[in-house]
Amino acid sequence: YTSEAAQRLLNEAARYLGTPYVWGGYSPSGFDCSGFTQFVYKHFGVTLNRTAAAQYSNGTAVTDLQAGDLVMFGKSGINHVGIYIGGNTFIHAANPSRGVTTDTLASGYYKTNYVGARRIF
């Protein structure tokens, strides 16, 4: 189940698929991971902290992922964030070679370095 608010959020996030990754970027000309989540949520009047680590204090901690939740990653501390879509998938500003894209929580870096999730609304 995806709430109407979450669906609107995901539709907005999907508009930026393919946008370049720019370190420190927070606009459609280029995003870093937390700049992307901050920009998408701001469209709906929600203010998130600027860095992935700081965004971990936004919202409330959840273990039952729902569409629209922030998903956090890191080896020592949090250094990456994305927006959960559903079906074990999330959208994020991945890195300079991939830009804004989707990935699965079930493989590779994202599986081994998943820290937790935050529900924002």
Side-chain angles (χ1 to χ4, degrees):
Y1 170 75
T2 303
S3 73
E4 187 181 324
Q7 191 58 58
R8 287 197 310 267
L9 181 88
L10 296 178
N11 290 345
E12 178 67 15
R15 291 178 52 200
Y16 304 103
L17 283 166
T19 298
Y21 181 99
V22 174
W23 191 87
Y26 53 90
S27 77
S29 61
F31 292 111
D32 66 12
C33 66
S34 55
F36 174 68
T37 55
Q38 187 181 52
F39 182 88
V40 171
Y41 271 93
K42 190 174 191 172
H43 184 79
F44 298 94
V46 176
T47 301
L48 295 180
N49 295 330
R50 179 58 186 97
T51 67
Q55 286 181 12
Y56 198 61
S57 66
N58 290 123
T60 54
V62 291
T63 54
D64 59 322
L65 290 178
Q66 291 180 11
D69 290 346
L70 294 179
V71 285
M72 313 298 215
F73 308 91
K75 288 187 192 304
S76 54
I78 292 162
N79 59 22
H80 194 70
V81 60
I83 300 172
Y84 189 67
I85 297 171
N88 227 15
T89 305
F90 65 103
I91 184 170
H92 61 136
N95 55 46
S97 63
R98 298 178 62 219
V100 177
T101 189
T102 59
D103 276 298
T104 175
L105 291 171
S107 69
Y109 175 88
Y110 304 111
K111 181 177 184 177
T112 55
N113 294 284
Y114 177 76
V115 175
R118 307 295 294 189
R119 182 143 312 140
I120 305 301
F121 58 76

